[in-house]
Amino acid sequence: MDEFDIETVADPALEAPVLIEGLPGVGHVGKLAAEHLLEEFDAELVRRVYSEHFPPQVTVEDGRTTLACAEVYAIETDARDMLVLTGDHQAGDGPGHYRLTDAFLDVADSFDVERIYALGGVPTGELVDEPDVIGAATTDAFIDDLEAVGVEFRENEPAGGIVGISGLLLGVGERRDFEAACVMGETSGYLVDPKSARGVLEVLQEAVGFDIGYDSLEERAEEMEEVVKRIRQMEQGSTPSEEDLRYIG
Amino acid sequence: MDEFDIETVADPALEAPVLIEGLPGVGHVGKLAAEHLLEEFDAELVRRVYSEHFPPQVTVEDGRTTLACAEVYAIETDARDMLVLTGDHQAGDGPGHYRLTDAFLDVADSFDVERIYALGGVPTGELVDEPDVIGAATTDAFIDDLEAVGVEFRENEPAGGIVGISGLLLGVGERRDFEAACVMGETSGYLVDPKSARGVLEVLQEAVGFDIGYDSLEERAEEMEEVVKRIRQMEQGSTPSEEDLRYIG
Amino acid sequence: MDEFDIETVADPALEAPVLIEGLPGVGHVGKLAAEHLLEEFDAELVRRVYSEHFPPQVTVEDGRTTLACAEVYAIETDARDMLVLTGDHQAGDGPGHYRLTDAFLDVADSFDVERIYALGGVPTGELVDEPDVIGAATTDAFIDDLEAVGVEFRENEPAGGIVGISGLLLGVGERRDFEAACVMGETSGYLVDPKSARGVLEVLQEAVGFDIGYDSLEERAEEMEEVVKRIRQMEQGSTPSEEDLRYIG
Amino acid sequence: MDEFDIETVADPALEAPVLIEGLPGVGHVGKLAAEHLLEEFDAELVRRVYSEHFPPQVTVEDGRTTLACAEVYAIETDARDMLVLTGDHQAGDGPGHYRLTDAFLDVADSFDVERIYALGGVPTGELVDEPDVIGAATTDAFIDDLEAVGVEFRENEPAGGIVGISGLLLGVGERRDFEAACVMGETSGYLVDPKSARGVLEVLQEAVGFDIGYDSLEERAEEMEEVVKRIRQMEQGSTPSEEDLRYIG
């Protein structure tokens, strides 16, 4: 295997698609949002990106193994075609993040992507009842478009910048002439956060122009509310069941 | 020395051999199993694989040094020829795991290997009296063959996937058109586990078609039983001798 | 993106400029000093150096992102032209430090730089009222010139040598025929230290031949004095406000 | 700078020299021994090896900086010419150890070295009054020669093998057709150990055929005895002076 091995699974003709990235990160917000898109639409797997910069690992499902990879799906809608990038891993090393990002941008290039949305969470350090959606972008035009659909752009947030693949899709993406934005839901940083993911998707829906339901995310959000309730009980003495703990990310 | 230095020690003509890997890992199950095969058969060393991705280290035996390496042995049987890959080390870094795996697959290719068995342990977190043997594979046909000899394929096990060289022999092996399976004995994860290794070899024996004795593994298993007994005594106050501790891996 | 991506923002004709480096380090002395120069002079951004050896990260300001990079500014004065190298990061790995340094020296070469001043702090482990300025250099001539303006050269200081980009600008710089010196202000090592930065700039001013004010550094130094006072109070029981803590580097 | 930069400082014609390596390690035994050879003989610096695999660092002495490097000295004696390899650093990463070793072997090759002595310490975990000298080698002939001068070769020692540059000079050296041995003095592993270094040099003297005094090492050994005495006093309640602690490696 070379440093990268990009498998072409399908090659649909998309019209000016946007790239939407949701890899693991704070509160799993980006990944939850990306997975929800794949559930709601008739998504088609188009690329698998394997790389020695991913952990040396296979996942196992029903006995069948899958080599660590990122996946790119195509979604065709009446309004706007989309590519959704998701997976289970960030890179294992610093230069690997840069090189993986370049590989992802190569895929985006091959589909003539112009705009990139990196989805994620921004940690607040405390439980948030009504999470805002914060943004950062590479161009003023993109900022204007996102402000118009309710994304907040703040003077010094996120204070620590944006790290990992999401950050580099903006940073390296800009160097390669993509317009890119990061759309981040506020989240505690301690728990998997479907509610924050829904907030992110609601502004994305406006920005990109699609229409989806949120029942499954809503259900998961309610499960998490339950978990939070039990954690608060725990702090007051009782013990959670194993099932509760499964949701803590 | 280059990134890899593959020494050809012998070059026997093998007939459609399978590759069996047993490198260090959970409970040393894979390595114990591989070493038992080398003891039971008239195995011939055919390759040494040196690499800068192994630790910078020599081992010393009777004053003579050996550079860190993996070794490949050939075993010819009436039923089925085998290559056995073993050694003292995994790679020291993530990309190194991918590259070492490729080097091992190059050796397998040069012997026209089609099927790969990666042997290992799956940690249960507690002492197991009757360890099951769990499997994962790259094809349904291989799963069927292994189920027929008693390997269990479970919905979500191993939950953390398979890491290291074993995992990549499946993941990268599949990308290079090998059929590969991982055969894992349940083991506590705390101790060297010859009993689990025997369980793995017993299904391998059925799958590959060879016939060996287990006296030496049995003996080591009994020693470990003794150690476990003493550990339990320790927990109740008495102190183990130095010899006991030697077996704790 | 390649391993390095050097963006030419402007290309003024400078006359025999010196290179002045102030990247993050002990007490942020070098970076504070470099930033003060950029404030005091009409500095022009001439190069941005991007690299996979920087952290995989963008910073965000007013919603706009900037990929991790180092920046080189040009300052033209009547006496002596200067290039100022600053940024938010050292390299993430050992070889990366060597390679980034080479990239910076390539920029210096392209402007015919002959002398390099690396600015930094030397940790004393305790609060210093009157910080000395310590030096180290690659040539006796440069040592003589710096001694003449008050830099102290001591037998075994800094005892641990000089690490990071500053150290390599001297070490690798010498191998590439630059004359280079490191000018280090004594500093506790626990706090951002504008006073130490001022000390460094005062000798640099003499050595290079420029004339600047210190009002803004003085102000920051006074703020830090205030912080130090409060820390001492803290140790005696009271709690600092969030604003105080902002200054602790 | 390239990955390696080998500076030729002098190029004397040596006759069948042996290479003697003493880099930092357990008890600084190898480095103390190498430095003692340089003191006792009229040694000539012949090569400096710079590399991005060394730490990004310069040392400072009397204000002058030196880039992290290893140094090779030539010693011409009536009996046998020697090259002595010493320095302040091992490599910063695993592959770097392999590559540095290759660079050192390239230097050895250019002087037609056939035999290599890697000097070091073997940790015993306790203070040793009469340290033995243990060996490991790549050929039986070399083992015989060293046994003849009092080096002990033991069945399973050192149990952990030999790590770092010393180990690889044997392991990679053998792959490149050098005869190599590691000569290790027993040492506690907690303290700089000049006495162990003397033990190593005494067998080396016999093996190579030179004749040196040990006054300076003896003096340092006595200082260390003093330190050990004070440590034992410390354990019984009194406090060591700062000067004592200076010797603890």
Side-chain angles (χ1 to χ4, degrees), chain C residues 183-200:
Chain C
V183 179
M184 294 159 278
E186 288 188 329
T187 182
S188 70
Y190 309 132
L191 297 166
V192 170
D193 195 341
K195 191 192 221 173
S196 181
R198 180 181 176 157
V200 165

Side-chain angles (χ1 to χ4, degrees), chain D residues 22-33:
Chain D
L23 289 166
V26 184
H28 275 236
V29 173
K31 187 167 158 64
L32 284 173

Side-chain angles (χ1 to χ4, degrees), chain C residues 71-120:
Chain C
E71 295 181 325
V72 181
Y73 292 84
I75 293 172
E76 298 181 65
T77 76
D78 293 344
R80 168 67 77 177
D81 289 350
M82 299 185 271
L83 288 168
V84 177
L85 165 65
T86 188
D88 289 330
H89 311 283
Q90 298 271 339
D93 59 299
H97 276 99
Y98 280 87
R99 295 181 188 185
L100 269 172
T101 301
D102 258 329
F104 297 148
L105 291 174
D106 288 346
V107 172
D109 245 349
S110 74
F111 282 97
D112 295 323
V113 164
E114 292 182 358
R115 277 199 165 179
I116 297 170
Y117 295 82
L119 310 185

Side-chain angles (χ1 to χ4, degrees), chain C residues 95 97-99 102 136-140 143 153-155 157-158 160-164 167-168 170-172 174-175, chain D residues 1-3 5-7 48 50-68 93 99:
Chain C
H97 276 99
Y98 280 87
R99 295 181 188 185
D102 258 329
T138 60
T139 65
D140 290 333
I143 291 178
F153 291 82
R154 297 180 183 167
E155 201 180 334
E157 284 194 36
I162 304 167
V163 299
L168 292 188
L170 277 72
V172 178
E174 184 178 20
R175 304 282 313 141
Chain D
M1 211 180 85
D2 295 326
E3 187 177 7
D5 173 1
I6 301 183
E7 182 187 1
R48 282 201 193 92
Y50 303 94
S51 170
E52 66 180 24
H53 295 293
F54 283 131
Q57 190 173 351
V58 291
T59 52
V60 182
E61 208 178 318
D62 295 326
R64 287 288 296 271
T65 53
T66 308
L67 181 59
D93 60 299
R99 296 181 187 185

Side-chain angles (χ1 to χ4, degrees), chain C residues 46-231:
Chain C
V46 294
R47 295 285 187 282
R48 282 201 194 91
V49 178
Y50 303 94
S51 170
E52 65 181 23
H53 296 293
F54 283 130
Q57 189 173 350
V58 291
T59 52
V60 183
E61 208 178 319
D62 294 326
R64 287 288 296 272
T65 53
T66 308
L67 181 59
C69 67
E71 295 181 325
V72 181
Y73 292 84
I75 293 172
E76 298 181 65
T77 76
D78 293 344
R80 168 67 77 177
D81 289 350
M82 299 185 271
L83 288 168
V84 177
L85 165 65
T86 188
D88 289 330
H89 311 283
Q90 298 271 339
D93 59 299
H97 276 99
Y98 280 87
R99 295 181 188 185
L100 269 172
T101 301
D102 258 329
F104 297 148
L105 291 174
D106 288 346
V107 172
D109 245 349
S110 74
F111 282 97
D112 295 323
V113 164
E114 292 182 358
R115 277 199 165 179
I116 297 170
Y117 295 82
L119 310 185
V122 60
T124 58
E126 51 191 19
L127 296 172
V128 188
D129 275 337
E130 296 297 332
D132 286 331
V133 177
I134 310 296
T138 60
T139 65
D140 290 333
F142 210 161
I143 291 178
D144 290 345
D145 291 355
L146 289 169
E147 270 185 328
V149 296
V151 177
E152 290 188 27
F153 291 82
R154 297 180 183 167
E155 201 180 334
N156 280 305
E157 284 194 36
I162 304 167
V163 299
I165 301 291
S166 290
L168 292 188
L169 283 173
L170 277 72
V172 178
E174 184 178 20
R175 304 282 313 141
R176 291 182 55 173
D177 290 323
F178 292 90
E179 266 200 310
C182 191
V183 179
M184 294 159 278
E186 288 188 329
T187 182
S188 70
Y190 309 132
L191 297 166
V192 170
D193 195 341
K195 191 192 221 173
S196 181
R198 180 181 176 157
V200 165
L201 283 174
E202 282 173 345
V203 302
L204 188 70
Q205 161 167 337
E206 289 296 307
V208 175
F210 56 78
D211 191 21
I212 56 173
Y214 292 99
D215 288 356
S216 61
L217 264 188
E218 190 55 39
E219 211 173 289
R220 296 190 66 172
E222 279 163 21
E223 286 170 357
M224 283 310 300
E225 299 278 325
E226 204 53 40
V227 172
V228 169
K229 223 184 277 176
R230 296 200 189 197
I231 288 172

Side-chain angles (χ1 to χ4, degrees), chain D residues 193-212:
Chain D
D193 195 342
K195 192 192 221 173
S196 181
R198 179 181 176 157
V200 165
L201 282 174
E202 283 172 345
V203 303
L204 188 69
Q205 162 167 337
E206 290 295 307
V208 176
F210 55 77
D211 191 22
I212 56 173

